[in-house]
Amino acid sequence: MTFPNDETGQVLAEMQDAGIDLSIVHPVVFFQLFEKKEQAQAMADYLTEHAPEIELVIHPDETPNVWDLDCTVKMLPCYDAVVAQEAQFEQIAAKYQGYNDGWGIDA
């Protein structure tokens, strides 16, 4: 399987090369970063109301004064689906002064 030549495509290619079966559903974690815990909590509250199937975990980042909101979606990790989900999270995070910081498969 070949992937587009961008960051998402590179990650998928690396996962495929590592032997991860990308043809089955996996828990895919999308990472959102915020300066304040309250901002992360506000996005988590929004997602709990509008997408209760998404698993959410708020925790301090390794970087001081940064909070992570990890959003886990069970999905087929195909390129188009990952890009679309990442864009959706980016739009929501921006409403709470946050931003998307990538994704990965919770293996």
Side-chain angles (χ1 to χ4, degrees):
M1 188 180 313
T2 59
F3 302 99
N5 188 22
D6 63 11
E7 188 174 353
T8 298
Q10 181 181 347
V11 171
L12 287 167
E14 289 171 2
M15 289 177 174
Q16 180 177 275
D17 291 346
I20 295 173
D21 184 352
L22 300 178
S23 68
I24 62 171
V25 172
H26 289 276
V28 180
V29 185
F30 296 86
F31 308 106
Q32 318 307 311
L33 297 182
F34 300 87
E35 289 183 5
K36 297 178 183 173
K37 184 178 183 180
E38 295 77 18
Q39 295 164 328
Q41 186 63 57
M43 180 171 172
D45 292 345
Y46 174 88
L47 290 172
T48 297
E49 181 178 340
H50 292 90
E53 70 281 1
I54 298 174
E55 295 178 32
L56 306 167
V57 177
I58 298 173
H59 59 91
D61 191 73
E62 295 172 0
T63 305
N65 301 315
V66 176
W67 288 87
D68 291 6
L69 172 60
D70 297 347
C71 306
T72 303
V73 179
K74 291 185 173 131
M75 63 187 289
L76 192 67
C78 69
Y79 179 85
D80 291 338
V82 169
V83 169
Q85 185 65 73
E86 197 168 31
Q88 184 179 29
F89 281 135
E90 182 69 40
Q91 285 185 328
I92 297 168
K95 293 179 183 179
Y96 302 101
Q97 294 76 50
Y99 62 95
N100 183 277
D101 191 43
W103 64 277
I105 288 180
D106 193 8

